[in-house]
Amino acid sequence: MNTFLNRYKSDFIATFNLALPIITAQVGVMLMGFADTVQVGRMAQGSVPALAAAADANGIFFNIAIVGYICLQVVAPLVSSAQSSNNPGQCKQLLRASVVVSLIMSVICAFLIVLIGLNIDLLKQPKEIKSMTLDFLWIITISIFPSFVFSAIKSFTDGLSQTKVAMQITVSALLLNVVLNHLLINGYKNIIPALGLNGAGYATLTSRIYMALAIIIYTLRDKAFKPYLQASTQGLDSIKTLIGKIMKLGIPSGFQGFSEVAAFYGAVVMMGWISLPHKAAHQVAIGFVSMTFMAATGIGAAGGIRVGSGMGEKSKKAIIDAGTSALLMGLIFMGTCSIIFLVFNDFLASYVKDDQVVALAAELIIWGGIFQLFDGTQAVSVGILRGIADVNVPTIITFIAYWVVGLPMCYFLGFVLDLKHIGIWIGLTSSLFVSASLLSWRFYAKANKLWH
């Protein structure tokens, strides 16, 4: 045991130091959405329909936007590899290319979100929340443009191991979002009218614009980035090549995220078939699960950066050790979260002003605690596989896990066996188990075959 710990100690520490700011930034992004849920859930009137509408709007938004977010995340390992190869010009071109990709993906994703919103009746959700859902959806759709620009530049700064940049900006944006939520949801005296759920949407939009502007200014002014921004480059042709490379790696990676997020949104839709309180309870529980998931993806992103560095060095040992340390960190973190969910489920659900929703959410948080280890393993595995540029087979694995196993299990257990909300979350647990098992196996199988 001591030999095992000594082997991975330095890798674990290096991954932790790199991951902590990324985790803080990732969780900060999710806390913005969670702050919306908490502050909307505490509205004196209309909290249940507002929560259900937020679940639909956020579900539609993230189902599509996740493709762009994860597409842009592949830039960080590429930048890390270029830095390890002592190629600052390549890092600069990757930054330029990623910003262009962010704009392309913004237009595509916004179009698809609007298209789904205009056909929302196909989801057969409660009619009384339709107008509320769409009003909120249109507001947050605008925020996809600054949000993607922030993600593109964040991947560049993260890839250079300057992970505190995005962390500091995200934490300040979170505080801004909470203050704006309070002012815009509830109103302020006779100066600002109470906008309810739409107020949360405007707060999110403003916070994301701030994040994009802040990271642009920070990157242009900070001395750490000048050697890369001032490096000589090969011109537009190399940028076009890199745009193609990012899209080739990023879009399949994005569809990995889509497979999972869409499956979880499928669960939102199924909850709506049961009742409005079930849908609201799912939104409450999924807020906690989403935060721990984003922390795990932060660990995976850090692992992917260190794996990418190993690729630049052409060191199989460095790659496997970096991946293993990231997986161990993910298991430790998610195991801790699991205990918290299982012990404090009632307390965590208690912020909503509706006793039925609180009771249902508390039950679901227990199942969130049960699947934490699986969720963490699969989230980290995706990140470290991205570090070795393995995206196609993992995309197939995630599709099978969520769409062939998970969603059918959700429907069968929830409606055929009539286990309702519990059956739906057991189905989600089964998909995470399959995904975690196959993706972690894939990393070691692929890494051991490098440079044979």
Side-chain angles (χ1 to χ4, degrees):
M1 186 66 178
N2 287 334
T3 303
F4 178 83
L5 292 176
N6 288 333
R7 175 180 175 182
Y8 293 108
K9 181 180 179 180
S10 60
D11 284 285
F12 193 90
I13 293 172
T15 302
F16 178 82
N17 290 335
L18 187 61
L20 187 59
I22 298 178
I23 292 170
T24 305
Q26 298 276 63
V27 173
V29 170
M30 289 309 302
L31 279 172
M32 289 184 196
F34 183 67
D36 293 349
T37 300
V38 171
Q39 291 174 278
V40 168
R42 295 190 64 81
M43 287 167 50
Q45 294 181 337
S47 62
V48 173
L51 282 171
D56 268 340
N58 283 320
I60 293 169
F61 179 88
F62 282 108
N63 262 291
I64 303 302
I66 193 67
V67 178
Y69 285 129
I70 295 182
C71 177
L72 293 166
Q73 284 180 8
V74 304
V75 174
L78 295 176
V79 170
S80 178
S81 181
Q83 184 190 38
S84 295
S85 303
N86 195 28
N87 192 344
Q90 182 84 341
C91 295
K92 179 180 179 178
Q93 295 296 69
L94 280 165
L95 171 62
R96 290 175 169 178
S98 66
V99 171
V100 174
V101 171
S102 75
L103 297 176
I104 294 170
M105 295 303 295
S106 295
V107 173
I108 294 172
C109 291
F111 172 78
L112 292 174
I113 291 169
V114 170
L115 187 63
I116 294 172
L118 294 175
N119 293 277
I120 198 171
D121 288 337
L122 296 176
L123 299 176
K124 297 181 180 179
Q125 296 301 289
K127 297 290 184 183
E128 60 265 35
I129 64 170
K130 176 182 176 181
S131 62
M132 191 184 301
T133 300
L134 290 178
D135 288 344
F136 183 65
L137 180 62
W138 303 146
I139 297 168
I140 62 174
T141 298
I142 299 171
S143 74
I144 202 169
F145 293 90
S147 186
F148 277 15
V149 170
F150 172 80
S151 295
I153 301 175
K154 176 183 180 297
S155 286
F156 169 75
T157 58
D158 284 353
L160 296 176
S161 298
Q162 299 292 326
T163 54
K164 291 182 180 179
V165 177
M167 177 193 73
Q168 293 166 351
I169 292 170
T170 303
V171 170
S172 61
L174 171 62
L175 297 175
L176 174 64
N177 188 68
V178 170
V179 172
L180 291 176
N181 270 344
H182 180 73
L183 295 175
L184 298 177
I185 292 172
N186 304 302
Y188 180 71
K189 297 181 178 180
N190 294 322
I191 302 173
I192 302 174
L195 299 176
L197 180 60
N198 285 351
Y202 289 120
T204 297
L205 172 60
T206 304
S207 299
R208 288 176 176 167
I209 292 172
Y210 159 76
M211 290 170 71
L213 292 175
I215 201 167
I216 290 170
I217 294 169
Y218 195 116
T219 305
L220 291 175
R221 291 186 174 182
D222 194 88
K223 294 179 180 179
F225 304 114
K226 284 188 177 180
Y228 302 97
L229 298 180
Q230 296 175 354
S232 59
T233 59
Q234 298 176 2
L236 292 177
D237 288 341
S238 66
I239 293 179
K240 291 178 182 177
T241 301
L242 289 174
I243 290 172
K245 184 175 184 178
I246 293 169
M247 299 285 275
K248 184 178 179 181
L249 292 173
I251 290 178
S253 294
F255 277 106
Q256 294 170 21
F258 171 80
S259 294
E260 179 172 3
V261 172
F264 273 77
Y265 183 62
V268 173
V269 173
M270 291 183 195
M271 289 292 184
W273 298 344
I274 301 173
S275 76
L276 205 58
H278 281 83
K279 192 181 185 76
H282 179 88
Q283 175 69 0
V284 171
I286 210 69
F288 293 103
V289 172
S290 297
M291 280 193 292
T292 60
F293 168 74
M294 289 303 288
T297 63
I299 295 171
I305 291 167
R306 296 198 66 247
V307 167
S309 180
M311 289 287 286
E313 297 169 3
K314 295 189 181 299
S315 170
K316 184 189 296 187
K317 181 181 183 299
I319 290 168
I320 294 175
D321 287 355
T324 302
S325 64
L327 285 167
L328 288 172
M329 188 180 301
L331 287 171
I332 292 169
F333 173 78
M334 296 300 264
T336 304
C337 293
S338 177
I339 294 170
I340 293 171
F341 285 2
L342 293 173
V343 174
F344 298 105
N345 62 310
D346 290 310
F347 172 77
L348 293 172
S350 64
Y351 69 83
V352 180
K353 293 184 176 181
D354 186 286
D355 291 341
Q356 184 182 6
V357 173
V358 170
L360 291 169
E363 291 181 314
L364 295 179
I365 290 171
I366 289 176
W367 278 98
I370 291 171
F371 68 52
Q372 286 295 286
L373 293 179
F374 306 140
D375 200 15
T377 299
Q378 65 90 27
V380 174
S381 296
V382 165
I384 57 180
L385 282 166
R386 203 173 292 140
I388 57 175
D390 186 31
V391 295
N392 293 324
V393 171
T395 300
I396 296 170
I397 289 172
T398 51
F399 176 80
I400 292 171
Y402 297 109
W403 289 82
V404 178
V405 177
L407 278 179
M409 285 287 286
C410 289
Y411 183 83
F412 177 75
L413 295 173
F415 298 95
V416 177
L417 296 186
D418 200 31
L419 295 177
K420 295 186 171 63
H421 57 298
I422 298 299
I424 292 172
W425 275 55
I426 293 175
L428 293 174
T429 303
S430 68
S431 65
L432 291 169
F433 171 76
V434 172
S435 178
S437 301
L438 294 178
L439 289 172
S440 55
W441 165 81
R442 174 68 182 177
F443 171 73
Y444 289 105
K446 186 74 174 178
N448 278 307
K449 291 181 179 177
L450 292 172
W451 303 300
H452 268 192

